């Protein structure tokens, strides 16, 4: 739909050069996780937000690992939350550009985290700056929660949820969706399985109980369990999945191994929990009767990101889709995401309707060498976020 005069004035306050410079500076402050090095980028982000006229504070979640909370509008009134994360995966190998150089080349900012998700954070900051500069009266707070540890165990979002009085009318998670409105995500959990046996000299293997042999049986059973998940499909998100990602066992070639650990990634659907997934794996272990071979097995749930889904007709979906298209994003149907994100925590633990909408591609750019994002796409995201906030909280009709 056509923008009204107040909306045009608001969006005119978003400058591509200013936004690009902010994104480049965010990329130039490495925040790889592991090991969890978000402090430098968090402090820079808080200082930048204060310089733009926003309220900003740091919350130390773990030593040297602060969440950033920046906001404007009435602090006591629930409004809109942008939920981002300041950590990135490590740089890895294979780069042809400096991974933390923040190079601007052919309209794209290049560097680790440019897409996942410092581009989305920069867009949220500049959307909030535009709202601040416009002088628009807001009926609720607009808040950026830039949390730590999304790439690993979710320490940051859990600290956010524990804040007294935390709540919002709606949330946008600015993960890289190619500016498509995502209304549901699969969740994720990690389950470790430990197989125990008995050591012996490899020259007399019958005197031992080989934990690695037991682990091979478990791996095959997990593969069969994965195949069975194909019959349990969600209409938006498809099927869940299981993947064995790591195996570690044994002490030396000349010894029968007495321990072997298997690490499993389980992708979750709405209504499934990490405890459910762990119980399924426990049932598989029981069916193998490893004890009959003198082996033991135990499981441990390491982390969980909840799955979530909104109905396509939900008000939060309608508003996000309209704002993105009016801001210049391609008009496409809403969709689901096979990746997991922190929005599931907001839905399950705080009842906040959440959509995922951001610049860049999780498939083509995130976690890859020479990760990059188009500045033009980040600008469209910033415009969409500003429109969404203004229409939700600023007496601007959608």
């Amino acid at each position: 739909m056509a923008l009204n005069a107040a909306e045009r004035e608001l969006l005119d306050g978003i400058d591509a050069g200013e936004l690009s410079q902010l994104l480049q500076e965010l990329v130039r402050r490495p925040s790889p996780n592991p090991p969890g090095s978000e402090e430098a980028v968090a402090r820079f982000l808080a200082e930048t937000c204060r310089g733009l006229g926003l309220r900003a504070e740091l919350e130390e979640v773990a030593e040297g690992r602060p969440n950033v909370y920046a906001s404007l509008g009435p602090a006591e009134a629930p409004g809109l939350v942008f939920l981002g994360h300041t950590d990135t995966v490590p740089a890895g190998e294979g780069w042809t550009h400096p991974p933390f150089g923040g190079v601007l080349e052919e309209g794209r900012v290049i560097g680790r985290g440019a897409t996942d998700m410092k581009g989305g954070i920069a867009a949220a900051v500049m959307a909030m700056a535009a709202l601040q500069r416009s002088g628009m009266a807001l009926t609720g707070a607009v808040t950026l929660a830039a949390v730590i540890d999304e790439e690993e165990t979710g320490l940051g979002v859990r600290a956010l949820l524990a804040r007294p009085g935390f709540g919002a009318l709606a949330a946008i998670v600015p993960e890289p969706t190619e500016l498509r409105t995502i209304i549901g995500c699969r969740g994720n959990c990690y389950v470790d399985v430990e197989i125990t046996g008995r050591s012996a000299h490899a020259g007399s293997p019958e005197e031992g109980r080989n934990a690695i042999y037991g682990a091979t049986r478990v791996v095959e059973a997990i593969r069969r369990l994965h195949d069975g998940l194909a019959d349990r499909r969600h209409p938006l998100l498809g099927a869940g999945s299981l993947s064995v990602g790591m195996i570690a066992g044994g002490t030396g070639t000349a010894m029968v191994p007495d321990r072997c650990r298997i690490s499993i990634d389980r992708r979750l659907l709405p209504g499934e929990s990490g405890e459910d997934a762990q119980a399924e794996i426990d049932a598989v272990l029981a069916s193998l009767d490893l004890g009959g071979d003198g082996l033991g097995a135990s499981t441990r749930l390491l982390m969980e990101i909840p799955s979530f889904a909104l109905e396509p007709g939900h008000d939060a979906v309608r508003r996000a889709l309209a704002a993105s298209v009016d801001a210049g994003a391609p008009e496409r149907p809403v969709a689901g995401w096979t990746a997991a994100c922190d929005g599931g925590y907001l839905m399950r633990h705080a009842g906040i309707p959440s959509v995922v909408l951001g610049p860049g591609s999780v498939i083509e750019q995130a976690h890859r060498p020479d990760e990059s994002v188009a500045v033009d796409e980040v600008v469209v995201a910033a415009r969409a976020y500003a429109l969404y906030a203004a229409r939700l909280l600023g007496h601007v009709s959608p």
Side-chain angles (χ1 to χ4, degrees):
M1 68 173 61
L3 301 177
N4 62 37
E7 291 174 338
R8 287 194 297 273
E9 183 178 353
L10 173 66
L11 299 190
D12 285 345
I14 297 172
D15 179 75
E18 184 182 21
L19 195 159
S20 175
Q21 184 176 9
L22 172 59
L23 174 53
Q24 290 175 270
E25 292 299 329
L26 292 173
V27 170
R28 288 167 183 158
R29 287 158 175 83
S31 49
N33 186 25
S37 306
E38 302 96 342
E39 184 169 24
V41 73
R43 293 193 179 281
F44 170 76
L45 181 59
E47 180 182 346
T48 298
C49 288
R50 292 188 192 106
L52 292 169
L54 309 176
R55 300 184 297 270
E57 62 175 301
L58 296 170
E59 177 189 25
E60 195 89 351
V61 177
E63 186 176 357
R65 304 186 70 187
N67 282 353
V68 181
Y69 306 120
S71 62
L72 76 158
E76 71 284 355
L80 175 64
V81 171
F82 297 111
L83 176 59
H85 62 88
T86 53
D87 62 322
T88 72
V89 296
E93 304 295 328
W95 291 74
T96 63
H97 294 80
F100 303 110
V103 173
L104 178 62
E105 185 176 286
E106 296 182 355
R108 302 183 70 89
V109 173
I110 304 168
R112 176 58 78 225
T115 281
D116 187 13
M117 61 174 297
K118 292 178 178 179
I121 288 175
V125 169
M126 297 317 301
M128 293 169 66
L131 288 164
Q132 173 71 10
R133 292 163 179 164
S134 75
M136 182 181 295
L138 300 172
T139 60
V142 179
T143 301
L144 168 65
V147 303
I148 67 163
D149 200 41
E150 189 268 355
E151 297 288 0
E152 287 290 312
T153 62
L155 289 174
V157 70
R158 285 184 273 132
L160 169 67
L161 290 166
R163 287 170 67 86
F166 172 71
L169 301 177
I172 291 179
V173 184
E175 293 276 12
T177 70
E178 301 175 75
L179 299 176
R180 190 168 191 171
T181 301
I182 299 298
I183 64 172
C185 295
R186 292 198 302 179
N188 187 24
C189 70
Y190 295 160
V191 178
D192 268 8
V193 179
E194 185 168 41
I195 312 299
T196 56
R198 187 173 71 215
S199 292
H201 193 287
S204 303
E206 67 278 1
E207 297 298 322
R209 296 294 180 265
N210 194 311
I212 290 178
Y213 289 171
T216 63
R217 293 169 59 191
V218 174
V219 169
E220 278 302 303
I222 294 301
R223 183 185 60 78
R224 292 192 296 271
L225 181 59
H226 164 80
D227 291 343
L229 294 179
D231 297 329
R232 292 151 46 185
R233 299 186 66 83
H234 185 274
L236 181 69
L237 302 174
S241 64
L242 286 142
S243 175
V244 174
M246 290 192 298
I247 300 178
T251 304
T253 306
M255 296 175 63
V256 173
D258 66 343
R259 291 184 181 275
C260 187
R261 182 171 58 86
I262 304 166
S263 296
I264 301 168
D265 178 297
R266 169 70 155 89
R267 297 291 156 155
L268 304 167
L269 298 179
E272 295 180 331
S273 69
E275 290 80 6
D276 295 335
Q278 183 181 16
E280 277 191 324
I281 294 170
D282 285 336
V284 165
L285 296 177
S287 73
L288 296 176
D289 190 26
L290 295 171
D293 292 330
L295 300 170
S298 61
T299 62
R300 186 161 63 106
L301 179 64
L302 301 184
M303 77 90 186
E304 176 187 2
I305 300 175
S307 177
F308 74 94
L310 286 175
E311 292 297 325
H314 194 286
D315 183 65
V317 174
R318 179 182 64 81
R319 288 178 178 276
L321 184 59
S324 66
V325 172
D326 293 347
E331 187 166 1
R332 291 168 291 183
V334 297
W337 222 29
T338 57
C341 76
D342 279 347
Y345 287 101
L346 297 188
M347 288 278 287
R348 188 171 77 178
H349 297 287
I352 300 172
S354 304
V355 299
V356 190
L357 173 65
S361 170
V362 72
I363 296 173
E364 296 180 3
Q365 293 295 335
H367 299 196
R368 291 173 176 257
D370 291 331
E371 177 182 350
S372 69
V373 67
V375 173
D376 286 350
E377 202 167 320
V378 184
V379 170
V380 172
R383 289 164 57 91
Y385 301 160
L387 276 179
Y388 188 109
R391 291 171 175 178
L392 181 67
L393 303 170
H395 303 295
V396 177
S397 300

